[in-house]
Coordinates of all heavy atoms in Angstrom, one line a residue:
M75 N -45.3 159.9 179.2 CA -45.8 158.5 179.5 C -44.8 157.8 180.3 O -43.6 157.6 180.1 CB -45.9 157.8 178.2 CG -46.5 156.4 178.3 SD -46.8 155.4 176.8 CE -46.7 156.5 175.5
D76 N -45.3 157.4 181.4 CA -44.4 156.6 182.5 C -44.3 155.1 182.1 O -45.3 154.6 181.5 CB -45.1 156.6 183.8 CG -45.1 158.0 184.5 OD1 -44.2 158.7 184.1 OD2 -46.0 158.3 185.3
K77 N -43.1 154.8 182.5 CA -43.0 153.3 182.1 C -42.6 152.5 183.3 O -42.1 153.1 184.2 CB -41.7 153.1 181.1 CG -41.9 153.7 179.8 CD -42.6 152.9 178.9 CE -42.7 153.5 177.4 NZ -43.4 152.7 176.5
K78 N -42.9 151.2 183.4 CA -42.6 150.3 184.5 C -41.6 149.4 184.1 O -41.6 148.7 183.1 CB -43.9 149.6 184.9 CG -43.6 148.7 186.2 CD -44.9 148.0 186.5 CE -44.6 147.1 187.7 NZ -45.8 146.3 188.0
L79 N -40.4 149.4 184.8 CA -39.3 148.7 184.5 C -39.7 147.1 184.8 O -40.3 146.8 185.6 CB -38.1 149.0 185.3 CG -37.5 150.4 185.0 CD1 -36.4 150.6 186.0 CD2 -37.0 150.4 183.6
S80 N -39.0 146.4 184.0 CA -39.1 144.8 184.1 C -38.2 144.5 185.4 O -37.4 145.2 185.7 CB -38.6 144.2 182.9 OG -37.2 144.3 182.7
P81 N -38.4 143.3 185.8 CA -37.7 142.8 186.9 C -36.2 142.7 186.6 O -35.3 142.9 187.4 CB -38.3 141.4 187.4 CG -39.6 141.5 186.9 CD -39.7 142.5 185.6
W82 N -35.9 142.3 185.3 CA -34.5 142.1 184.8 C -33.8 143.6 184.9 O -32.6 143.8 185.3 CB -34.4 141.6 183.3 CG -33.0 141.6 182.9 CD1 -32.2 140.6 183.0 CD2 -32.4 142.5 182.0 NE1 -31.0 140.9 182.4 CE2 -31.1 142.0 181.7 CE3 -32.8 143.7 181.4 CZ2 -30.3 142.8 180.9 CZ3 -31.9 144.4 180.7 CH2 -30.7 143.9 180.4
S83 N -34.4 144.6 184.3 CA -34.0 146.1 184.3 C -33.7 146.5 185.8 O -32.6 147.1 186.0 CB -35.1 147.0 183.7 OG -35.2 146.6 182.4
K84 N -34.7 146.1 186.7 CA -34.4 146.5 188.1 C -33.1 145.8 188.7 O -32.3 146.5 189.4 CB -35.6 146.3 188.9 CG -36.8 147.1 188.6 CD -38.0 146.8 189.5 CE -39.2 147.6 189.1 NZ -40.4 147.2 189.9
E85 N -33.0 144.6 188.4 CA -31.9 143.8 188.9 C -30.7 144.3 188.4 O -29.6 144.4 189.1 CB -32.1 142.4 188.4 CG -31.2 141.4 189.3 CD -31.6 139.9 189.1 OE1 -32.7 139.6 188.4 OE2 -30.7 139.1 189.6
V86 N -30.6 144.7 187.0 CA -29.4 145.2 186.4 C -29.0 146.6 187.1 O -27.8 146.8 187.5 CB -29.6 145.4 185.0 CG1 -28.3 146.2 184.4 CG2 -29.6 144.1 184.2
K87 N -30.0 147.5 187.3 CA -29.8 148.7 187.9 C -29.2 148.5 189.3 O -28.4 149.3 189.7 CB -31.1 149.5 187.8 CG -31.3 150.1 186.4 CD -32.6 150.9 186.5 CE -32.7 151.7 185.2 NZ -32.7 153.0 185.1
K88 N -29.8 147.6 190.0 CA -29.2 147.4 191.5 C -27.8 146.9 191.3 O -27.0 147.3 192.2 CB -30.2 146.4 192.1 CG -31.5 146.9 192.6 CD -32.3 145.9 193.2 CE -33.8 146.3 193.4 NZ -34.7 145.3 193.9
A89 N -27.5 146.0 190.4 CA -26.2 145.6 190.3 C -25.3 146.6 189.9 O -24.1 146.8 190.4 CB -26.2 144.4 189.2
M90 N -25.7 147.5 189.1 CA -24.8 148.7 188.6 C -24.6 149.6 189.9 O -23.5 150.0 190.1 CB -25.5 149.5 187.6 CG -25.5 148.9 186.3 SD -26.6 149.6 185.0 CE -25.8 151.3 184.9
L91 N -25.5 149.8 190.7 CA -25.4 150.6 191.9 C -24.5 149.9 192.9 O -23.7 150.6 193.5 CB -26.7 150.8 192.7 CG -27.8 151.9 192.0 CD1 -29.1 151.9 192.6 CD2 -27.1 153.2 192.0
D92 N -24.6 148.7 193.1 CA -23.7 147.9 193.9 C -22.3 147.9 193.6 O -21.4 147.9 194.4 CB -24.2 146.4 194.1 CG -25.4 146.2 194.8 OD1 -26.0 147.1 195.5 OD2 -26.0 145.1 194.6
R93 N -22.1 148.0 192.2 CA -20.7 148.1 191.7 C -20.3 149.4 191.5 O -19.3 149.8 190.9 CB -20.5 147.2 190.5 CG -20.8 145.8 190.9 CD -20.7 144.9 189.7 NE -21.1 143.5 190.0 CZ -20.9 142.6 189.1 NH1 -20.2 142.7 188.1 NH2 -21.3 141.3 189.5
D94 N -21.0 150.5 191.9 CA -20.8 151.9 191.5 C -20.6 152.1 190.2 O -19.5 152.8 189.8 CB -19.6 152.4 192.5 CG -19.6 154.0 192.6 OD1 -20.6 154.5 192.5 OD2 -18.5 154.4 192.7
M95 N -21.4 151.6 189.2 CA -21.2 151.8 187.8 C -22.5 152.5 187.3 O -23.5 152.5 187.9 CB -21.2 150.4 187.2 CG -20.0 149.6 187.5 SD -20.0 148.0 186.6 CE -19.5 148.4 185.1
D96 N -22.3 153.2 186.1 CA -23.3 153.8 185.4 C -23.3 153.2 184.1 O -22.6 152.5 183.6 CB -23.2 155.4 185.4 CG -22.0 155.9 184.8 OD1 -21.3 155.3 183.9 OD2 -21.7 157.1 185.1
T97 N -24.3 153.9 183.1 CA -24.3 153.3 181.8 C -23.1 153.5 181.0 O -22.7 152.7 180.1 CB -25.5 153.7 181.1 OG1 -25.5 155.3 181.1 CG2 -26.9 153.3 181.5
N98 N -22.3 154.5 181.3 CA -21.1 154.8 180.5 C -20.0 153.7 180.8 O -19.3 153.2 179.8 CB -20.5 156.1 181.0 CG -21.3 157.3 180.4 OD1 -21.7 157.5 179.4 ND2 -21.6 158.1 181.4
D99 N -20.1 153.2 182.1 CA -19.2 152.2 182.4 C -19.5 150.9 181.7 O -18.6 150.2 181.3 CB -19.1 152.0 184.0 CG -18.7 153.2 184.7 OD1 -17.6 153.9 184.3 OD2 -19.3 153.5 185.8
V100 N -20.9 150.5 181.8 CA -21.2 149.3 181.1 C -20.9 149.3 179.7 O -20.4 148.4 179.0 CB -22.8 149.1 181.4 CG1 -23.3 147.8 180.8 CG2 -23.0 148.9 183.0
A101 N -21.3 150.4 179.0 CA -21.0 150.6 177.6 C -19.6 150.5 177.2 O -19.2 149.8 176.2 CB -21.5 152.0 177.1
A102 N -18.7 151.1 178.0 CA -17.2 151.0 177.7 C -16.8 149.6 177.9 O -16.0 149.1 177.0 CB -16.5 151.9 178.7
A103 N -17.2 148.8 179.0 CA -16.8 147.4 179.2 C -17.3 146.5 178.0 O -16.6 145.6 177.7 CB -17.4 146.9 180.5
L104 N -18.4 146.8 177.4 CA -19.1 146.0 176.5 C -18.9 146.4 175.0 O -19.2 145.8 174.2 CB -20.5 145.7 176.7 CG -20.9 145.1 178.1 CD1 -22.5 144.9 178.3 CD2 -20.2 143.6 178.1
H105 N -18.1 147.7 174.9 CA -18.0 148.2 173.6 C -19.2 148.6 172.9 O -19.4 148.3 171.6 CB -17.1 147.4 172.7 CG -15.7 147.0 173.4 ND1 -14.8 147.9 173.5 CD2 -15.3 145.9 174.0 CE1 -13.7 147.4 174.2 NE2 -14.1 146.1 174.5
Y106 N -20.1 149.1 173.6 CA -21.5 149.6 173.0 C -21.4 151.1 173.4 O -20.8 151.6 174.1 CB -22.7 149.0 173.8 CG -22.9 147.5 173.5 CD1 -23.3 146.7 174.5 CD2 -22.7 146.9 172.4 CE1 -23.6 145.3 174.3 CE2 -22.9 145.5 172.2 CZ -23.4 144.7 173.2 OH -23.7 143.4 172.9
T107 N -22.4 151.8 172.7 CA -22.7 153.2 173.0 C -23.5 153.2 174.4 O -24.3 152.3 174.7 CB -23.4 154.0 171.9 OG1 -24.7 153.4 171.8 CG2 -22.7 153.8 170.6
R108 N -23.4 154.4 175.0 CA -24.2 154.6 176.3 C -25.7 154.6 175.8 O -26.4 154.0 176.6 CB -23.8 156.0 176.9 CG -24.4 156.1 178.2 CD -24.6 157.6 178.6 NE -25.4 158.3 177.6 CZ -26.7 158.4 177.5 NH1 -27.5 157.5 178.2 NH2 -27.3 159.2 176.5
Q109 N -26.1 155.2 174.8 CA -27.4 155.2 174.4 C -28.0 154.0 174.1 O -29.1 153.5 174.6 CB -27.6 156.0 173.1 CG -27.2 157.6 173.4 CD -25.7 157.9 173.2 OE1 -24.9 157.0 173.1 NE2 -25.5 159.3 173.0
Y110 N -27.3 153.0 173.5 CA -27.6 151.6 173.3 C -27.8 150.9 174.6 O -28.9 150.2 174.8 CB -26.6 151.0 172.5 CG -26.8 149.5 172.0 CD1 -27.7 149.2 170.9 CD2 -26.2 148.3 172.7 CE1 -27.9 148.1 170.6 CE2 -26.5 147.1 172.3 CZ -27.3 146.9 171.2 OH -27.7 145.6 170.8
V111 N -26.9 151.0 175.5 CA -26.9 150.3 176.8 C -28.2 150.8 177.6 O -28.9 150.0 178.2 CB -25.7 150.5 177.6 CG1 -25.8 150.0 179.0 CG2 -24.5 149.7 176.9
S112 N -28.4 152.1 177.5 CA -29.5 152.7 178.4 C -30.8 152.2 177.7 O -31.8 151.9 178.5 CB -29.4 154.2 178.2 OG -30.5 154.8 178.8
T113 N -30.9 152.2 176.4 CA -32.1 151.7 175.8 C -32.5 150.2 176.2 O -33.7 149.9 176.5 CB -32.1 151.7 174.2 OG1 -31.9 153.2 173.9 CG2 -33.3 151.2 173.5
V114 N -31.4 149.5 176.2 CA -31.6 148.0 176.6 C -32.0 147.9 178.0 O -33.0 147.1 178.4 CB -30.4 147.2 176.2 CG1 -30.6 145.7 176.8 CG2 -30.2 147.1 174.7
I115 N -31.1 148.4 178.9 CA -31.5 148.3 180.4 C -32.8 148.9 180.7 O -33.5 148.3 181.7 CB -30.4 149.0 181.2 CG1 -29.0 148.2 181.1 CG2 -30.7 149.2 182.6 CD1 -27.9 148.9 181.7
N116 N -33.2 150.0 180.1 CA -34.5 150.6 180.4 C -35.6 150.0 179.8 O -36.8 150.5 179.9 CB -34.5 152.2 180.2 CG -33.6 152.9 181.2 OD1 -33.7 152.7 182.4 ND2 -32.6 153.7 180.8
G117 N -35.4 149.0 178.9 CA -36.6 148.3 178.4 C -37.2 148.9 177.2 O -38.3 148.6 176.8
G118 N -36.4 149.8 176.5 CA -36.9 150.4 175.3 C -37.0 149.6 174.1 O -37.9 149.6 173.2
R119 N -35.9 148.7 174.0 CA -35.9 147.6 173.0 C -35.2 146.4 173.5 O -34.4 146.5 174.5 CB -34.9 148.2 171.9 CG -35.4 149.5 171.2 CD -36.4 149.2 170.2 NE -36.0 149.9 169.0 CZ -36.6 149.6 167.8 NH1 -37.4 148.6 167.6 NH2 -36.2 150.4 166.8
Y120 N -35.5 145.3 172.8 CA -34.9 144.1 173.0 C -33.9 143.6 172.2 O -34.2 143.4 171.0 CB -35.9 142.9 173.3 CG -35.4 141.6 173.7 CD1 -35.1 141.3 175.0 CD2 -35.1 140.7 172.8 CE1 -34.5 140.1 175.5 CE2 -34.4 139.5 173.1 CZ -34.3 139.1 174.4 OH -33.8 137.9 174.7
Y121 N -32.6 143.5 172.5 CA -31.5 143.1 171.8 C -30.9 142.0 172.4 O -30.2 142.1 173.4 CB -30.5 144.1 171.4 CG -31.0 145.4 170.6 CD1 -31.3 146.5 171.5 CD2 -31.3 145.3 169.3 CE1 -31.8 147.6 170.7 CE2 -31.8 146.4 168.6 CZ -32.0 147.5 169.4 OH -32.6 148.6 168.7
R122 N -31.2 140.7 171.9 CA -30.7 139.5 172.6 C -29.2 139.5 173.0 O -28.9 139.2 174.1 CB -31.0 138.2 171.7 CG -30.6 136.9 172.3 CD -31.7 136.4 173.2 NE -31.2 135.2 173.7 CZ -31.4 134.6 174.9 NH1 -32.2 135.4 175.7 NH2 -31.1 133.6 175.3
D123 N -28.3 139.8 172.1 CA -26.9 139.8 172.5 C -26.6 140.7 173.5 O -25.9 140.4 174.4 CB -26.1 140.2 171.2 CG -24.6 140.1 171.3 OD1 -24.1 139.1 171.7 OD2 -24.0 141.2 171.3
A124 N -27.2 141.9 173.5 CA -26.8 142.8 174.6 C -27.4 142.5 176.0 O -26.7 142.5 176.9 CB -27.4 144.3 174.2
V125 N -28.6 141.8 175.9 CA -29.3 141.3 177.2 C -28.4 140.2 177.7 O -28.1 140.2 179.0 CB -30.7 140.9 176.9 CG1 -31.3 140.2 178.2 CG2 -31.6 142.1 176.6
V126 N -28.0 139.4 176.9 CA -27.0 138.3 177.3 C -25.8 138.8 178.0 O -25.4 138.4 179.0 CB -26.8 137.3 176.1 CG1 -25.7 136.2 176.6 CG2 -28.2 136.5 175.7
R127 N -25.1 139.6 177.3 CA -23.9 140.2 177.7 C -23.9 141.0 179.0 O -23.2 140.9 179.9 CB -23.2 141.0 176.6 CG -22.8 140.2 175.4 CD -22.1 141.0 174.3 NE -20.8 141.3 174.8 CZ -20.0 142.3 174.2 NH1 -20.5 142.9 173.1 NH2 -18.9 142.7 174.8
I128 N -25.0 141.8 179.1 CA -25.2 142.6 180.4 C -25.6 141.6 181.5 O -24.9 141.8 182.6 CB -26.4 143.7 180.0 CG1 -25.9 144.8 179.1 CG2 -26.7 144.2 181.4 CD1 -27.0 145.6 178.6
S129 N -26.3 140.6 181.2 CA -26.7 139.6 182.2 C -25.5 138.9 182.7 O -25.2 138.7 184.0 CB -27.6 138.6 181.8 OG -28.9 139.1 181.4
Q130 N -24.6 138.5 181.8 CA -23.4 137.9 182.2 C -22.3 138.7 183.0 O -21.7 138.3 183.8 CB -22.6 137.3 180.9 CG -23.4 136.1 180.2 CD -22.9 135.7 178.9 OE1 -22.1 136.5 178.2 NE2 -23.1 134.6 178.4
M131 N -22.3 140.0 182.6 CA -21.5 140.9 183.3 C -21.8 141.0 184.7 O -20.9 141.1 185.6 CB -21.5 142.3 182.5 CG -20.7 143.4 183.1 SD -21.0 144.9 182.1 CE -19.7 145.9 182.9
F132 N -23.2 141.0 185.0 CA -23.6 141.2 186.4 C -24.0 139.9 187.0 O -24.5 139.7 188.2 CB -24.7 142.2 186.5 CG -24.3 143.5 186.2 CD1 -24.7 144.2 184.9 CD2 -23.4 144.3 186.9 CE1 -24.3 145.4 184.6 CE2 -23.1 145.6 186.6 CZ -23.3 146.1 185.3
D133 N -23.7 138.7 186.5 CA -24.1 137.4 187.0 C -25.6 137.2 187.2 O -25.9 136.9 188.3 CB -23.1 137.1 188.1 CG -23.2 135.6 188.4 OD1 -23.4 134.8 187.4 OD2 -23.0 135.2 189.6
I134 N -26.4 137.8 186.3 CA -27.7 137.8 186.3 C -28.4 136.7 185.3 O -27.8 136.7 184.2 CB -28.3 139.1 186.0 CG1 -27.9 140.2 187.2 CG2 -29.8 139.2 186.0 CD1 -28.2 141.6 186.8
E135 N -29.4 136.1 185.8 CA -30.0 135.1 184.9 C -30.5 135.7 183.6 O -31.0 136.9 183.7 CB -31.1 134.4 185.6 CG -31.8 133.2 184.7 CD -32.9 132.4 185.5 OE1 -32.9 132.5 186.8 OE2 -33.8 131.9 184.9
V136 N -30.2 135.1 182.5 CA -30.7 135.6 181.2 C -32.1 135.4 181.1 O -32.6 134.3 181.1 CB -29.9 135.1 180.0 CG1 -30.4 135.5 178.7 CG2 -28.4 135.3 180.1
P137 N -32.9 136.5 181.0 CA -34.3 136.4 180.9 C -34.9 135.8 179.6 O -34.1 135.9 178.5 CB -34.9 137.8 181.2 CG -33.8 138.7 180.6 CD -32.5 137.9 180.9
E138 N -36.1 135.4 179.5 CA -36.8 135.0 178.3 C -36.8 136.2 177.4 O -37.0 137.3 177.8 CB -38.2 134.4 178.5 CG -38.1 133.1 179.3 CD -39.5 132.6 179.5 OE1 -40.3 132.8 178.7 OE2 -39.7 131.8 180.6
E139 N -36.8 135.8 176.0 CA -36.9 137.0 175.1 C -38.3 137.8 175.3 O -39.3 137.4 175.4 CB -37.0 136.3 173.6 CG -36.8 137.4 172.5 CD -36.6 136.7 171.1 OE1 -36.2 135.6 171.1 OE2 -36.9 137.5 170.2
G140 N -38.0 139.2 175.2 CA -39.1 140.1 175.3 C -39.5 140.4 176.7 O -40.3 141.4 176.8
T141 N -39.0 139.7 177.7 CA -39.5 140.0 179.1 C -38.7 141.2 179.6 O -39.0 141.6 180.8 CB -39.3 138.8 180.1 OG1 -37.9 138.5 180.0 CG2 -40.2 137.7 179.5
T142 N -37.7 141.8 179.0 CA -37.0 142.9 179.5 C -37.6 144.2 179.1 O -37.3 145.3 179.5 CB -35.6 142.9 179.1 OG1 -35.5 143.1 177.6 CG2 -34.9 141.6 179.4
L143 N -38.6 144.2 178.3 CA -39.2 145.4 177.8 C -40.1 146.1 178.9 O -40.7 145.4 179.7 CB -40.1 145.1 176.5 CG -39.4 144.5 175.4 CD1 -40.4 144.3 174.3 CD2 -38.3 145.6 174.8
A144 N -40.0 147.4 178.9 CA -40.8 148.2 179.9 C -42.2 148.2 179.5 O -42.6 148.0 178.3 CB -40.3 149.7 179.9
K145 N -43.1 148.3 180.5 CA -44.5 148.2 180.4 C -45.0 149.7 180.6 O -44.5 150.4 181.4 CB -45.3 147.4 181.3 CG -44.7 145.9 181.3 CD -45.4 145.1 180.0 CE -44.9 143.6 180.1 NZ -44.1 143.2 179.4
T146 N -46.1 150.0 180.0 CA -46.6 151.4 180.2 C -47.5 151.4 181.5 O -48.3 150.4 181.7 CB -47.5 151.8 179.1 OG1 -46.8 151.9 177.8 CG2 -48.1 153.2 179.2
K147 N -47.2 152.3 182.4 CA -48.0 152.3 183.6 C -49.5 152.8 183.3 O -49.6 153.7 182.4 CB -47.4 153.3 184.6 CG -46.2 152.8 185.3 CD -45.8 153.8 186.4 CE -44.4 153.3 187.0 NZ -44.1 154.3 188.0
Q148 N -50.4 152.3 184.0 CA -51.9 152.7 183.7 C -52.0 154.0 184.4 O -51.4 154.2 185.4 CB -52.8 151.8 184.2 CG -52.9 150.4 183.4 CD -54.1 149.6 183.8 OE1 -54.9 150.0 184.7 NE2 -54.1 148.5 183.0
S149 N -52.8 154.9 183.9 CA -53.1 156.1 184.5 C -54.5 156.4 184.7 O -55.3 155.5 184.2 CB -52.4 157.3 183.5 OG -53.0 157.3 182.4
C150 N -54.9 157.5 185.0 CA -56.3 157.9 185.2 C -56.9 158.0 183.9 O -56.2 158.9 183.1 CB -56.4 159.1 186.2 SG -56.0 158.9 187.7
R151 N -58.1 157.7 183.6 CA -58.8 158.0 182.4 C -60.0 158.8 182.5 O -60.7 158.7 183.5 CB -59.2 156.5 181.8 CG -58.2 155.6 181.5 CD -58.7 154.3 180.9 NE -57.6 153.3 180.9 CZ -57.8 152.1 180.6 NH1 -59.0 151.6 180.5 NH2 -56.8 151.3 180.5
S152 N -60.0 159.9 181.8 CA -61.1 160.8 181.8 C -62.1 160.3 181.0 O -62.1 159.6 179.9 CB -60.5 162.2 181.3 OG -59.7 162.7 182.2
H153 N -63.4 160.5 181.6 CA -64.6 160.2 180.9 C -65.2 161.5 180.1 O -64.8 162.5 180.5 CB -65.6 159.5 181.8 CG -65.1 158.2 182.2 ND1 -65.0 157.0 181.5 CD2 -64.6 157.9 183.4 CE1 -64.5 156.1 182.2 NE2 -64.0 156.6 183.4
N154 N -66.2 161.3 179.2 CA -66.8 162.4 178.6 C -67.4 163.3 179.6 O -67.6 164.5 179.4 CB -67.8 161.9 177.6 CG -67.2 161.3 176.5 OD1 -66.0 161.6 176.2 ND2 -68.0 160.5 175.7
D155 N -68.0 162.7 180.8 CA -68.6 163.6 181.8 C -67.7 164.2 182.7 O -68.0 164.9 183.7 CB -69.7 162.7 182.5 CG -69.0 161.6 183.4 OD1 -67.8 161.5 183.4 OD2 -69.7 160.9 184.1
G156 N -66.4 164.0 182.5 CA -65.4 164.8 183.4 C -65.0 163.9 184.6 O -64.0 164.4 185.3
S157 N -65.6 162.8 184.8 CA -65.2 162.0 185.9 C -64.0 161.3 185.6 O -63.6 161.1 184.5 CB -66.4 161.0 186.4 OG -66.5 160.2 185.4
K158 N -63.4 160.6 186.7 CA -62.1 159.9 186.5 C -62.3 158.5 187.0 O -63.1 158.2 187.9 CB -61.0 160.6 187.3 CG -60.7 162.0 187.0 CD -59.7 162.1 186.0 CE -59.3 163.5 185.8 NZ -58.7 163.7 184.5
T159 N -61.7 157.5 186.3 CA -61.7 156.1 186.7 C -60.3 156.0 187.5 O -59.4 156.2 186.8 CB -61.9 155.2 185.6 OG1 -63.1 155.4 185.0 CG2 -61.8 153.8 186.0
K160 N -60.4 155.4 188.7 CA -59.2 155.2 189.4 C -58.5 153.8 188.9 O -59.2 152.8 189.1 CB -59.4 155.2 190.9 CG -58.0 155.2 191.6 CD -58.4 155.3 193.1 CE -57.1 155.3 193.9 NZ -57.3 155.4 195.3
N161 N -57.3 153.9 188.3 CA -56.6 152.7 188.0 C -55.4 152.6 189.0 O -55.1 153.6 189.7 CB -56.1 152.9 186.6 CG -57.3 152.7 185.6 OD1 -58.2 152.1 185.9 ND2 -57.0 153.4 184.4
R162 N -54.8 151.6 188.9 CA -53.5 151.4 189.6 C -52.6 152.5 189.4 O -52.2 152.9 188.2 CB -52.9 150.0 189.3 CG -51.8 149.5 190.2 CD -51.5 148.3 189.6 NE -50.7 147.6 190.6 CZ -50.2 146.3 190.4 NH1 -50.3 145.8 189.2 NH2 -49.6 145.8 191.4
G163 N -51.9 153.3 190.3 CA -51.1 154.2 190.2 C -51.8 155.6 189.9 O -51.0 156.7 189.7
C164 N -53.0 155.8 189.9 CA -53.7 156.9 189.8 C -53.6 157.8 190.9 O -53.8 157.3 192.0 CB -55.2 156.6 189.4 SG -56.2 158.0 189.1
L165 N -53.5 159.2 190.8 CA -53.4 160.0 191.8 C -54.7 160.5 192.4 O -54.8 161.4 193.3 CB -52.4 161.2 191.6 CG -51.0 160.8 191.2 CD1 -50.2 161.9 190.8 CD2 -50.4 160.0 192.3
Y166 N -55.8 160.3 191.6 CA -57.1 160.8 191.9 C -57.9 159.9 192.8 O -57.8 158.7 192.6 CB -58.0 161.1 190.6 CG -57.3 162.0 189.6 CD1 -56.5 161.6 188.6 CD2 -57.3 163.5 190.0 CE1 -56.0 162.5 187.8 CE2 -56.7 164.2 189.1 CZ -55.9 163.9 188.0 OH -55.3 164.7 187.2
G167 N -58.6 160.5 193.7 CA -59.3 159.6 194.6 C -60.7 159.3 194.1 O -61.2 159.5 193.2

């Protein structure tokens, strides 16, 4: 299942790239595990304290609660007759 990153997640990832950092570096600086940091940055879970600390680390505006969660991308839906409905991001014509 594909996920669409939130604007906050994208901004954090860009800031990490600009500073040549990875999730291990962020985790070490904030005394979190790499898995915890990855889950928060990728929008798997919302933990207010972690979002605030990561935002402060990269001088990014702290987002509203829950807006950092990843959204599921829409995909093509098959119908009983075998036809496909084209949704955003669908590879079928």
Side-chain angles (χ1 to χ4, degrees):
M75 181 177 350
D76 289 332
K77 299 280 185 177
K78 181 178 178 185
L79 294 176
S80 71
W82 179 83
S83 295
K84 290 178 184 178
E85 196 170 351
V86 169
K87 286 182 176 240
K88 288 176 187 173
M90 288 170 59
L91 284 170
D92 290 344
R93 296 180 189 193
D94 198 27
M95 296 178 79
D96 62 17
T97 53
N98 291 309
D99 300 319
V100 176
L104 298 177
H105 305 286
Y106 292 143
T107 66
R108 185 206 57 80
Q109 294 86 349
Y110 182 81
V111 169
S112 179
T113 297
V114 173
I115 291 173
N116 289 311
R119 297 281 227 161
Y120 180 85
Y121 299 106
R122 178 88 179 142
D123 182 60
V125 169
V126 168
R127 291 182 69 196
I128 292 168
S129 296
Q130 290 171 341
M131 180 178 191
F132 294 111
D133 197 28
I134 295 170
E135 186 176 334
V136 177
E138 291 183 31
E139 188 169 339
T141 60
T142 64
L143 297 176
K145 307 279 191 258
T146 303
K147 288 184 181 178
Q148 291 193 1
S149 61
C150 296
R151 297 182 186 165
S152 295
H153 297 284
N154 291 338
D155 65 1
S157 65
K158 304 270 186 196
T159 301
K160 187 174 181 181
N161 290 329
R162 194 177 198 184
C164 179
L165 300 177
Y166 300 100

